[in-house]
């Protein structure tokens, strides 16, 4: 359904160029959920927004975003408008700022249906205002908000309700693809669980493909078929989510998963371990691995050797030089220590 090839986004302004996404390749099949993980500033939202050309004009975007084989980066505006909402929609990061405070929820939900919706079975048939509001009420109910709240304003809802309304809005025109940017960040765990259940039901019942962004690996592990981990604008690892979490092939993924506490089975409980240092300045990156300065496994060659995603086992990829045969101390990908192995830090 979606194939992203060599996607690069550079923000320009004030005499600076910030390469926020630096050559990303991704694929997503219909009905599949792809998780995009990475710490703050790694380029997740930039990548997500560039897919539907939602970035400000200061962002220079190159590469290809093939939606059902058609490149959205070069598509005409009229075609792009037809794809937005109706085929692919976005749950924006931060429901309070994404919803318009001066319009009722009912009007906001009905708007994309009026602008982009079509009457079922009729290719060109426009939907009426009454039909759009009826569909909006139905959507609201489907995410657990009573339809009688259609005339309420965003500030009259709780954070969790607003987030659910954002999801309802993304579903308004029955898209094939939803890009959900941190849909549960800043919500308490109970509301988070409700929203994740809602999203999983939709994927299962409607066969919607989802790109789900989060810095919370446990959320992504629960929700996603595949996981892609971003660092400094690049994908550093990708693969089936369970495998990526249980047996990371990149030191950054390993550090990210160690930053979460484990609960449950007392035998496997461990305290979270932080990752010292900060992400690099994107405007001043060197030629080697961008993670080298913080990497517990770094070798001299890492500072100067360019890295790219390489095969790291069946269905898996890693941008760590360690997957290369002949890398100092490590000869094959299978020698990579797993999350529980002590070898990584020592
Ligand atoms: N409009 C902009 N102009 C210049 N730089 C920007 C702009 N928007 C984002 N950036 C920079 O691009 C990089 C990636 O930002 P982005 O918002 O994509 O990160 P993120 O991974 O979504 O982070 P978070 O987890 O905090 O949402 C950051 O270094 C950020 O400072
Ligand atoms: Mg973001």
């Amino acid at each position: 359904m979606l194939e992203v090839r060599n996607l690069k986004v550079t923000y320009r302004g004030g005499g600076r160029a910030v390469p926020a996404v630096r050559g990303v390749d991704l694929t997503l099949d219909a009905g599949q959920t792809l998780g995009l993980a990475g710490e703050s500033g790694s380029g997740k939202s930039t990548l997500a927004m560039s897919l539907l050309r939602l970035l400000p004009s200061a962002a220079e975007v190159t590469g290809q975003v093939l939606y059902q084989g058609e490149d959205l980066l070069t598509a005409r505006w009229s075609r792009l408008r037809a794809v937005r909402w109706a085929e692919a929609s976005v749950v924006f990061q931060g429901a309070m700022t994404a919803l318009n405070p001066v319009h009722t929820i009912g009007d906001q939900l009905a708007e994309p249906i009026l602008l982009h919706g079509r009457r079922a079975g009729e290719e060109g048939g426009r939907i009426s205002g009454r039909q759009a509001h009826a569909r909006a009420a139905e959507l609201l109910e489907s995410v657990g908000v009573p339809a009688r709240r259609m005339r309420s304003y965003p500030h009259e809802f709780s954070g969790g309700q607003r987030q659910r309304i954002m999801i309802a809005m993304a579903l308004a025109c029955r898209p094939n693809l939803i890009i959900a940017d941190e849909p549960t960040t800043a919500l308490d765990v109970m509301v988070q669980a409700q929203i994740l259940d809602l999203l999983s039901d939709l994927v299962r019942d409607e066969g919607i493909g989802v790109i789900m962004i989060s810095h919370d690996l446990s959320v992504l592990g629960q929700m996603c078929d595949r996981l892609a981990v971003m660092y400094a604008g690049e994908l550093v690892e990708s693969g089936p989510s369970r495998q990526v979490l249980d047996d990371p092939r990149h030191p950054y993924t390993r550090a990210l998963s160690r930053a979460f506490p484990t609960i449950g089975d007392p035998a496997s409980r461990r305290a979270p371990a932080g990752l010292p240092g900060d992400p690099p300045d994107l405007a001043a990156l060197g030629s080697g691995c961008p993670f080298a300065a913080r990497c517990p496994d770094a070798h001299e060659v890492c500072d100067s050797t360019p890295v790219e995603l390489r095969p790291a086992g069946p269905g898996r990829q890693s941008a760590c030089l360690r997957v290369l045969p002949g890398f100092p101390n490590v000869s094959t990908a299978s020698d990579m220590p797993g999350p529980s192995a002590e070898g990584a830090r020592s």
Side-chain angles (χ1 to χ4, degrees):
M1 180 165 65
L2 184 76
E3 191 175 349
V4 174
R5 289 190 192 151
N6 198 21
L7 185 74
K8 294 183 181 168
V9 183
T10 305
Y11 291 106
R12 293 189 191 278
R16 258 167 70 96
V18 179
V21 176
R22 305 185 300 122
V24 165
D25 296 280
L26 280 180
T27 52
L28 179 75
D29 294 333
Q32 199 182 51
T33 305
L34 172 73
L36 198 55
E39 70 198 290
S40 187
S42 56
K44 306 179 297 296
S45 296
T46 302
L47 167 61
M49 295 307 119
S50 67
L51 302 180
L52 294 177
R53 283 162 60 187
L54 292 165
L55 290 173
S57 55
E60 181 186 287
V61 184
T62 62
Q64 286 185 309
V65 176
L66 302 171
Y67 171 72
Q68 295 180 346
E70 178 186 6
D71 188 0
L72 297 182
L73 293 188
T74 53
R76 297 166 71 99
W77 277 106
S78 56
R79 175 64 190 138
L80 193 62
R81 277 179 66 84
V83 170
R84 287 178 180 173
W85 293 101
E87 312 241 359
S89 61
V90 182
V91 178
F92 292 97
Q93 185 169 9
M96 194 54 204
T97 45
L99 291 167
N100 189 329
V102 299
H103 290 288
T104 64
I105 286 304
D107 285 351
Q108 291 189 61
L109 271 168
E111 188 186 10
I113 306 172
L114 273 168
L115 288 177
H116 301 269
R118 297 279 180 271
R119 270 195 297 234
E122 285 180 48
E123 257 309 300
R126 283 256 162 232
I127 220 161
S128 71
R130 182 190 286 251
Q131 286 169 321
H133 276 83
R135 166 94 179 119
E138 200 181 285
L139 280 164
L140 216 47
E141 290 276 352
S142 75
V143 296
V145 179
R148 62 181 156 78
R149 302 291 312 273
M150 287 274 284
R151 284 162 174 266
S152 301
Y153 289 87
H155 72 272
E156 296 175 290
F157 292 93
S158 73
Q161 284 174 319
R162 284 195 289 261
Q163 199 64 55
R164 278 182 278 162
I165 292 164
M166 288 297 297
I167 293 173
M169 208 179 257
L171 292 169
C173 302
R174 300 194 166 87
N176 298 321
L177 167 67
I178 291 184
I179 300 159
D181 193 357
E182 308 265 9
T184 60
T185 303
L187 298 178
D188 71 66
V189 284
M190 295 305 287
V191 180
Q192 173 169 298
Q194 284 170 15
I195 288 177
L196 295 180
D197 283 348
L198 174 71
L199 276 170
S200 349
D201 289 350
L202 290 167
V203 173
R204 194 191 54 230
D205 300 343
E206 317 240 347
I208 297 174
V210 179
I211 296 181
M212 185 154 162
I213 297 172
S214 180
H215 56 260
D216 189 334
L217 282 182
S218 52
V219 164
L220 295 179
Q222 181 186 337
M223 285 289 297
C224 302
D225 306 307
R226 292 183 61 79
L227 207 59
V229 182
M230 244 181 135
Y231 187 77
E234 289 176 331
L235 292 192
V236 294
E237 174 155 10
S238 77
S241 17
R242 213 49 277 163
Q243 291 182 28
V244 171
L245 294 178
D246 290 346
D247 178 21
R249 295 285 157 91
H250 194 283
Y252 177 63
T253 317
R254 197 177 310 127
L256 210 54
S257 64
R258 282 183 171 166
F260 286 89
T262 52
I263 55 171
D265 180 12
S268 60
R269 258 183 224 166
R270 59 176 162 72
L275 174 65
D278 293 308
D281 178 358
L282 291 173
L285 286 169
S287 57
C289 173
F291 185 60
R294 301 167 84 188
C295 181
D297 305 339
H299 195 275
E300 275 161 38
V301 294
C302 299
D303 286 324
S304 52
T305 314
V307 288
E308 60 187 57
L309 274 182
R310 295 187 173 86
R316 304 194 56 182
Q317 290 181 305
S318 165
C320 181
L321 290 174
R322 287 175 148 254
V323 300
L324 285 177
F327 181 81
N329 309 326
V330 177
S331 57
T332 65
S334 59
D335 289 340
M336 288 284 292
S340 55
E342 281 310 311
R345 272 174 192 274
S346 59

